[in-house]
Amino acid sequence: MNFILIITISLMSLLYLLIGFGINKDNAKYLLAGYNTMNQEEQDRFDIEEYLSFLKPFFKKLSLYPPITYALCSLALKGDTVETVWGIIQLLPFLLFIKKSNNFK
């Protein structure tokens, strides 16, 4: 595994962890896309507490996803295929995230 890939995996995991610990009710109106474009009335109707109870654990768990999936790809695949497959499967949790996020209106 080369140095750039180690840095990439580490920074992705750190970013996900920072999102999981950093977003809260007070800063959500600045940081959460969609919520930050709602007017005050829409924000008042939206249950931000419930949404954050979904978002925060999701991103904390997601911080483990890049290193674990890279290790599994390395065991199962060879050569440049490892990085290609690993890069593509990094999108999978976000499909789940989008699907589950749509339940919050």
Side-chain angles (χ1 to χ4, degrees):
M1 182 164 42
N2 67 36
F3 182 70
I4 300 291
L5 192 55
I6 293 170
I7 296 296
T8 301
I9 292 169
S10 300
L11 289 177
M12 285 176 67
S13 293
L14 180 62
L15 178 63
Y16 297 152
L17 202 57
L18 289 174
I19 291 170
F21 281 108
I23 304 256
N24 58 48
K25 186 177 179 182
D26 297 328
N27 64 20
K29 61 185 167 193
Y30 306 111
L31 299 176
L32 285 181
Y35 184 73
N36 63 4
T37 59
M38 292 177 181
N39 62 39
Q40 189 61 46
E41 181 182 311
E42 291 171 319
Q43 286 182 356
D44 292 341
R45 283 193 315 243
F46 187 79
D47 189 358
I48 190 67
E49 302 261 349
E50 183 181 346
Y51 184 71
L52 289 175
S53 70
F54 155 71
L55 181 133
K56 292 169 72 79
F58 181 88
F59 273 92
K60 288 175 187 174
K61 293 173 193 167
L62 186 61
S63 69
L64 300 172
Y65 190 72
I68 290 171
T69 55
Y70 187 80
L72 293 173
C73 284
S74 294
L75 292 172
L77 304 168
K78 300 282 185 232
D80 292 338
T81 310
V82 174
E83 286 83 10
T84 304
V85 171
W86 176 80
I88 292 169
I89 64 173
Q90 295 311 297
L91 300 174
L92 297 178
F94 291 102
L95 297 175
L96 177 66
F97 181 77
I98 290 168
K99 184 176 186 290
K100 288 189 173 192
S101 288
N102 285 333
N103 294 332
F104 298 92
K105 301 278 181 192

